[in-house]
Amino acid sequence: MFNKDFIFGCATASYQIEGSINKDGKVENIWDRFTKTPGKILDNSDGSVVCDSYIKYKDDCKILANLGVKAYRFSISWSRVIDESNKPNQKGLDYYINLCKELLKYNIKPYVTLYHWDMPMWLEDLGGFLNDDISNYFMHYTDVVTKALDGLVTDYITINEPQCIMFLGHNICNHAPGVKYNDKDMLHAIHNLLLCHGKAVKVIRENVKNSKIGFAPCSRPMIPTDINNKLLYEKCYKEYFNVNRDNEYANDVSIYSDPIFLGDYPKEYYEIFKDILPNIKKEDLELIHQPLDYIYQNIYSATFYSLDKSNNLVKEAFPFGYPEGNIDWLQVVPKALYYGPKYLYERYKLPIIISENGFCNNDIVSLDNKVHDPERIDYINRYLIELDRVSKEIPIKGYFYWSLFDNFEWSYGLKKRFGLVYIDYNTGKRIEKDSYFEYKKIIEKGGI
Ligand code: GBH
């Protein structure tokens, strides 16, 4: 059982649910463009309708209210609220103002993500994260949003999963904008992204009374197979925060979280990238290192490790018969919500909120017109048991299930369903799945 003030919520993101991609002055963003590129989206779908939340936000709020969540995490579409001459678009802002007012009617607290991957196309054309002015554009956007939502929102998340922005969007390029960076540009872009975060935090602190701020990276914790082996634990911890000059460093944890929480890149970073370091000024590091309120983290899956005869870390297979989500990277490893928070707290020492965690299934509507998803129910229960366990050792403030709705799952399109609520993409009908009612029960009880 969690504390009485534990925050149960669920999460979504603008491009994945809103639809109405050309309405009320919204300009093109990188996902509008990317989804038009042949071969990029598995089922050739796009974000033009999805859950139609731009139109149906009042229904969304009712569904959230019935679920009993205290918090709803959604993101703002930059390209809806700022036009191509970098001026505010009031109609776009009104949508988010109305959404927040509607949520507050039901006593649901808005948790606003400023950047969940949908960069305005005109800014991408100016160089995106390689443009040294991008953090000033982001600061301006943050200023506009926080002023528009004044008195409605206190909780902000600057950036969602910088790892995916950089690694998926600029290395393997299965995400927008799909522009491949060489290593030097990658480090430069990462630095600019961190500056976006830092400058945004400053603006939020200035504009918003009692603000609570964080950013939401993702990670895949290393799980020790032997819980009593101290050396194994230490090596897993070290590996979790390690930076290597391999193909995947843009996916690492400490390259983003160390500058943000500790004020500098990890030592290894300066060593392994010494030939291609960006220009890192002392003032930059200070700007990036703004005090934050929480460690947010998106955690879905994990990998098991043991030690070999010479005490080197080795990857272990998933135990036989282990359940798997209907998406290649999602193995069910509930202990991810025990070890992930533990490692993060040990290093950064702030209260933790799980900003995303969820299960992907090929859900169907049965003959009884219901959606039965026992696997998702099992997933939520097992993961919350582990989160509850770790909450006895370190401060855990909340949990956001990903996602409220089935939605546009980026390069996978519409066939990968994470929702508590099923979306019939032919009719727009929304059907609460069994897991919705299970989560409702858990929230009522205050835990498992
Ligand atoms: C989140 O990203 C997103 O924030 C959200 O928009 C999305 O819909 C949701 O999760 C479900 O996918 O290192 O093996 O895990 C997804 C998390 C993290 C999944 C990086 C893919 C790379 C492979 N992603 N991960 S692995």
Side-chain angles (χ1 to χ4, degrees), residues 296-397:
Y296 283 104
Q297 198 81 192
N298 299 350
I299 299 179
Y300 290 82
S301 191
T303 309
F304 291 98
Y305 283 87
S306 66
L307 293 175
D308 67 10
K309 285 203 190 82
S310 4
N311 279 335
N312 291 320
L313 219 46
V314 282
K315 236 185 222 178
E316 287 288 331
F318 294 96
F320 196 61
Y322 227 68
E324 255 186 56
N326 172 36
I327 196 162
D328 45 10
W329 52 268
L330 214 180
Q331 296 77 21
V332 178
V333 186
K335 277 188 181 151
L337 284 196
Y338 179 81
Y339 286 98
K342 221 171 141 71
Y343 299 151
L344 289 162
Y345 187 74
E346 206 169 315
R347 192 171 180 100
Y348 304 127
K349 304 200 169 50
L350 281 176
I352 289 169
I353 298 181
I354 300 302
S355 32
E356 284 180 29
N357 170 254
F359 186 74
C360 179
N361 214 2
N362 188 14
D363 301 303
I364 56 149
V365 184
S366 297
L367 278 174
D368 60 4
N369 280 321
K370 295 188 172 147
V371 180
H372 303 295
D373 55 345
E375 299 87 352
R376 185 171 289 104
I377 289 177
D378 191 64
Y379 180 101
I380 295 173
N381 276 285
R382 285 181 195 273
Y383 274 68
L384 281 178
I385 286 171
E386 293 296 330
L387 190 65
D388 188 36
R389 190 158 77 90
V390 78
S391 77
K392 307 294 180 275
E393 299 172 36
I394 59 171
I396 307 284
K397 290 270 181 210

Side-chain angles (χ1 to χ4, degrees), residues 207-442:
N207 291 354
V208 183
K209 241 181 52 204
N210 300 322
S211 57
K212 299 279 185 213
I213 314 176
F215 84 117
C218 56
S219 61
R220 192 182 165 99
M222 284 69 203
I223 311 295
T225 44
D226 175 356
I227 54 169
N228 298 314
N229 187 332
K230 252 196 104 191
L231 181 67
L232 174 59
Y233 176 88
E234 276 159 21
K235 292 213 165 180
C236 284
Y237 171 92
K238 204 165 164 244
E239 181 64 24
Y240 181 65
F241 292 107
N242 201 23
V243 188
N244 271 317
R245 191 164 175 172
D246 54 13
N247 184 43
E248 296 205 13
Y249 62 83
N251 238 344
D252 287 345
V253 172
S254 60
I255 199 169
Y256 306 95
S257 286
D258 274 21
I260 285 179
F261 292 115
L262 305 178
D264 204 349
Y265 290 99
K267 265 207 317 284
E268 313 91 280
Y269 168 94
Y270 290 100
E271 186 50 38
I272 59 178
F273 296 118
K274 60 175 178 290
D275 52 324
I276 51 166
L277 287 176
N279 177 15
I280 303 169
K281 297 191 223 95
K282 203 166 153 261
E283 314 88 86
D284 289 357
L285 291 174
E286 278 164 15
L287 253 175
I288 292 165
H289 182 43
Q290 303 286 318
L292 295 179
D293 298 286
Y294 307 119
I295 301 168
Y296 283 104
Q297 198 81 192
N298 299 350
I299 299 179
Y300 290 82
S301 191
T303 309
F304 291 98
Y305 283 87
S306 66
L307 293 175
D308 67 10
K309 285 203 190 82
S310 4
N311 279 335
N312 291 320
L313 219 46
V314 282
K315 236 185 222 178
E316 287 288 331
F318 294 96
F320 196 61
Y322 227 68
E324 255 186 56
N326 172 36
I327 196 162
D328 45 10
W329 52 268
L330 214 180
Q331 296 77 21
V332 178
V333 186
K335 277 188 181 151
L337 284 196
Y338 179 81
Y339 286 98
K342 221 171 141 71
Y343 299 151
L344 289 162
Y345 187 74
E346 206 169 315
R347 192 171 180 100
Y348 304 127
K349 304 200 169 50
L350 281 176
I352 289 169
I353 298 181
I354 300 302
S355 32
E356 284 180 29
N357 170 254
F359 186 74
C360 179
N361 214 2
N362 188 14
D363 301 303
I364 56 149
V365 184
S366 297
L367 278 174
D368 60 4
N369 280 321
K370 295 188 172 147
V371 180
H372 303 295
D373 55 345
E375 299 87 352
R376 185 171 289 104
I377 289 177
D378 191 64
Y379 180 101
I380 295 173
N381 276 285
R382 285 181 195 273
Y383 274 68
L384 281 178
I385 286 171
E386 293 296 330
L387 190 65
D388 188 36
R389 190 158 77 90
V390 78
S391 77
K392 307 294 180 275
E393 299 172 36
I394 59 171
I396 307 284
K397 290 270 181 210
Y399 171 88
F400 287 81
Y401 180 79
W402 180 274
S403 177
L404 174 61
F405 296 124
D406 294 340
N407 59 44
F408 179 74
E409 181 53 27
W410 308 114
S411 59
Y412 296 92
L414 297 175
K415 291 203 176 125
K416 305 290 179 188
R417 296 174 180 270
F418 278 88
L420 298 171
V421 177
Y422 181 91
I423 304 287
D424 180 332
Y425 293 114
N426 293 317
T427 62
K429 195 167 167 213
R430 293 142 175 229
I431 305 170
E432 287 85 347
K433 302 179 190 175
D434 288 354
S435 58
Y436 173 95
F437 298 103
E438 174 76 7
Y439 193 40
K440 184 179 165 79
K441 259 199 286 182
I442 293 172

